[in-house]
Amino acid sequence: QVQFVESGGGLVQPGGSLRLSCAASGTDFSDYVMGWYRQAPGKQRELVAAITGGGNMLNYAESVKGRFTISRDNAKRTVYLQMNSLKPEDTAVYYCNSPTRLGTPRVRYAYWGQGTQVTVSS
């Protein structure tokens, strides 16, 4: 049974940085695209970054390009999201899941973890 455990969120001032982690279990981790999603209050969940199984291809939402970096460690079954130059509009709960392919937000698994809250405020 697949499980995702997200961590690393917190309260940060505008312009600050955070590094999120997502530990996965119950899936052929290295075979699949992994992605970071976020959901702000009153908004739909959106895909912000994705990475292929081998880590050689990446995809970002326009709103985070140049500020966020996704990476993965297949040996640790973990995917990361380095977030720099954070803005108040980045405030959301961040989740990981596996997009069915790079470039689509459609997920492979109906299961979602608890997410990790990121709040950007002065």
Side-chain angles (χ1 to χ4, degrees):
Q1 187 171 351
V2 67
Q3 185 174 15
F4 302 120
V5 179
E6 300 92 348
S7 62
L11 173 64
V12 63
Q13 292 187 341
S17 298
L18 284 173
R19 189 193 193 207
L20 307 184
S21 299
C22 168
S25 60
T27 177
D28 294 327
F29 183 80
S30 62
D31 290 342
Y32 295 141
V33 174
M34 288 296 299
W36 281 98
Y37 296 75
R38 68 185 181 188
Q39 186 166 23
K43 294 187 177 181
Q44 288 190 334
R45 189 175 289 158
E46 62 171 344
L47 176 64
V48 296
I51 184 169
T52 51
N56 58 320
M57 293 182 67
L58 314 175
N59 186 266
Y60 296 96
E62 287 296 326
S63 59
V64 307
K65 275 184 180 178
R67 301 188 298 120
F68 290 11
T69 302
I70 188 170
S71 61
R72 65 192 296 161
D73 184 333
N74 287 340
K76 295 182 178 179
R77 303 173 63 84
T78 300
V79 60
Y80 305 98
L81 187 67
Q82 177 67 43
M83 305 187 297
N84 298 328
S85 302
L86 282 161
K87 304 175 180 180
E89 51 263 44
D90 296 318
T91 295
V93 180
Y94 284 71
Y95 304 86
C96 68
N97 206 313
S98 176
T100 55
R101 60 175 175 82
L102 198 67
T104 180
R106 183 178 178 183
V107 295
R108 186 179 307 276
Y109 303 109
Y111 167 87
W112 292 88
Q114 83 288 348
T116 187
Q117 175 71 48
V118 172
T119 302
V120 185
S121 175
S122 55

